[in-house]
Amino acid sequence: MRYRTFGNTTLQASEVGFGVWTVGTTMWGIKDEAVGIRLLQKAFDLGISFYDTADVYGDGLGETLLAKAFQGTRDRVVYSTKFGYDFTNHPGVQPGQRERPQDWHPATVRKACEESLRRLGTDHIDLYQLHNPRIGTLRRDDLFAELEHLKAEGKIRHYGATLGPAIDPRQAEEGRCCLLERRMVTQIIYNMLEQQIGQPLIPLAKQQGVGLMVRVPHSSGLLEGRYSRETTFGESDHRFFRVNTDERKKAWLDVGLKKVERLSFLTEGTGRTIAQAAIRWILAEPCFACVLPNIYNEEQLAEFAGASDVPDLTPDEIRAVNDLYARNFDLQPAGAM
């Protein structure tokens, strides 16, 4: 495993991290707490030291799982958690997976931090992230004053923001605010098939010396090399809403698979799987501190952690990927994802 520093912070952790939402919620089909704990501990054994959760994952479960998994090894792992959603008054997965209301009042943020500390079983949070804030929230000085107070008290080491939940054009403005005005670690959706948010933010992150994190590096599984045109998901799996519900969404899978086919040069004779190539393509940019693949079984975990052991992409390979993206992978514009 290779390790990186998170931009202008003192945080150093594995370049491949573990996004806890796959085991802290039931949205990926995992319903057994013991399975989640075993995956987290196996990740640690493979050198993964960065664990990204949120208070809203399983209404606290994502944090308590970390406490159970890493009893006695807290000093060897980096905890990142998120805040902002009001799951106390709006518990459980919301109908249609819609967003819950958010509460950014400083007193609420302090209470949320203290409850996260309790669930995590720790006296400090390494990275405390605003969970999908809008631009108005990012410009609330009272909120950031409270975060500075929590930092001064030693309850958090650093703070940042996660942009989402899905890709939205407004995130370009939110990302600029995070990087230029707040100069804080920022998490985005970015991968070889979905570059629209990352492209304008990478130069700013480099200029400001701010670290970026990436989630969904495999485009909701397309770049894992396991999907076929017959792939379907159960209604409890969040990907059900991408593939099973109507013809337009089913086209996401069909068009995505055609794009993945055009990336075969990244795996033929290179010693990489497509999933590992997807991770190494992101990490070719030094401003990316950590990649958070969606991990929900041990085979996957070993493959993703092994991305640190395969060859880096060559400059020619990187250019070829970017050229394909710019040409919509030589598909007709009507078939764009």
Side-chain angles (χ1 to χ4, degrees):
M1 180 60 63
R2 306 183 212 179
Y3 298 82
R4 295 189 176 201
T5 299
F6 284 53
N8 57 355
T9 76
T10 60
L11 291 178
Q12 188 176 53
S14 54
E15 63 180 13
V16 178
F18 195 123
V20 180
W21 81 306
T22 57
V23 299
T25 72
T26 59
M27 298 175 74
W28 291 84
I30 296 177
K31 299 180 180 179
D32 186 346
E33 184 176 309
V35 172
I37 291 172
R38 185 166 63 249
L39 279 172
L40 291 166
Q41 292 173 335
K42 178 65 174 177
F44 178 78
D45 292 341
L46 292 172
I48 292 177
S49 63
F50 187 82
Y51 297 87
D52 182 59
T53 190
D55 58 5
V56 76
Y57 293 169
D59 294 356
L61 176 62
E63 293 177 329
T64 58
L65 281 180
L66 287 179
K68 292 177 181 180
F70 299 122
Q71 290 180 7
T73 56
R74 169 66 181 100
D75 61 334
R76 297 167 61 190
V77 293
V78 176
Y79 281 173
S80 171
T81 193
K82 311 181 194 76
F83 67 96
Y85 284 116
D86 180 7
F87 65 90
T88 301
N89 294 310
H90 302 271
V93 177
Q94 303 298 290
Q97 298 185 5
R98 68 171 180 259
E99 280 191 90
R100 307 182 214 206
Q102 295 174 319
D103 187 343
W104 303 104
H105 291 95
T108 305
V109 171
R110 175 170 287 273
K111 181 181 178 184
C113 180
E114 291 170 349
E115 290 179 351
S116 287
L117 288 167
R118 175 182 55 79
R119 285 189 293 264
L120 288 164
T122 186
D123 62 356
H124 72 278
I125 295 165
D126 298 295
L127 179 61
Y128 199 41
Q129 299 176 76
L130 288 77
H131 202 169
N132 301 335
R134 307 300 187 256
I135 191 66
T137 299
L138 291 168
R139 290 187 170 137
R140 283 188 61 155
D141 289 337
D142 61 339
L143 167 60
F144 283 87
E146 187 63 28
L147 290 172
E148 286 292 339
H149 291 322
L150 292 169
K151 189 174 178 181
E153 294 166 20
K155 294 183 177 181
I156 63 176
R157 290 179 60 198
H158 303 279
Y159 54 78
T162 293
L163 303 185
I167 293 175
D168 189 296
R170 63 175 167 75
Q171 290 167 27
E173 182 183 12
E174 294 161 359
R176 285 194 296 271
C177 183
C178 289
L179 299 175
L180 298 178
E181 299 178 33
R182 298 300 180 184
R183 297 194 74 239
M184 61 185 181
V185 176
T186 304
Q187 183 182 140
I188 60 172
I189 295 174
Y190 184 65
N191 55 69
M192 290 192 287
L193 306 185
E194 298 167 305
Q195 300 184 36
Q196 54 267 53
I197 300 303
Q199 281 186 347
L201 296 184
I202 289 171
L204 299 180
K206 290 179 176 179
Q207 174 192 354
Q208 297 296 314
V210 177
L212 293 172
M213 293 188 294
V214 170
R215 70 182 185 282
V216 200
H218 296 116
S219 192
S220 298
L222 282 170
L223 289 164
E224 291 180 23
R226 292 178 170 86
Y227 289 0
S228 72
R229 286 169 177 80
E230 288 70 49
T231 297
T232 59
F233 303 99
E235 291 189 31
S236 64
D237 190 305
H238 85 105
R239 292 165 294 179
F240 175 86
F241 292 92
R242 279 238 175 175
V243 177
N244 299 54
T245 49
D246 60 40
E247 290 305 316
R248 181 183 62 81
K249 291 182 178 179
K250 289 177 183 178
W252 168 84
L253 178 62
D254 185 59
V255 173
L257 289 172
K258 290 177 181 176
K259 293 181 178 182
V260 174
E261 288 171 1
R262 286 158 170 78
L263 295 169
S264 60
F265 65 92
L266 295 175
T267 60
E268 294 170 352
T270 66
R272 315 181 199 103
T273 66
I274 188 62
Q276 292 170 333
I279 291 172
R280 292 253 57 91
W281 176 81
I282 292 167
L283 291 171
E285 283 288 357
C287 64
F288 287 115
C290 187
V291 174
L292 298 163
N294 294 321
I295 297 167
Y296 42 93
N297 63 57
E298 290 195 21
E299 179 186 6
Q300 234 186 358
L301 169 60
E303 181 181 7
F304 297 163
S308 279
D309 300 322
V310 302
D312 291 332
L313 270 64
T314 67
D316 286 344
E317 288 174 323
I318 293 169
R319 277 192 296 271
V321 172
N322 295 342
D323 288 346
L324 278 170
Y325 181 83
R327 303 195 310 267
N328 193 36
F329 293 80
D330 297 322
L331 301 176
Q332 294 298 319
M337 289 173 59

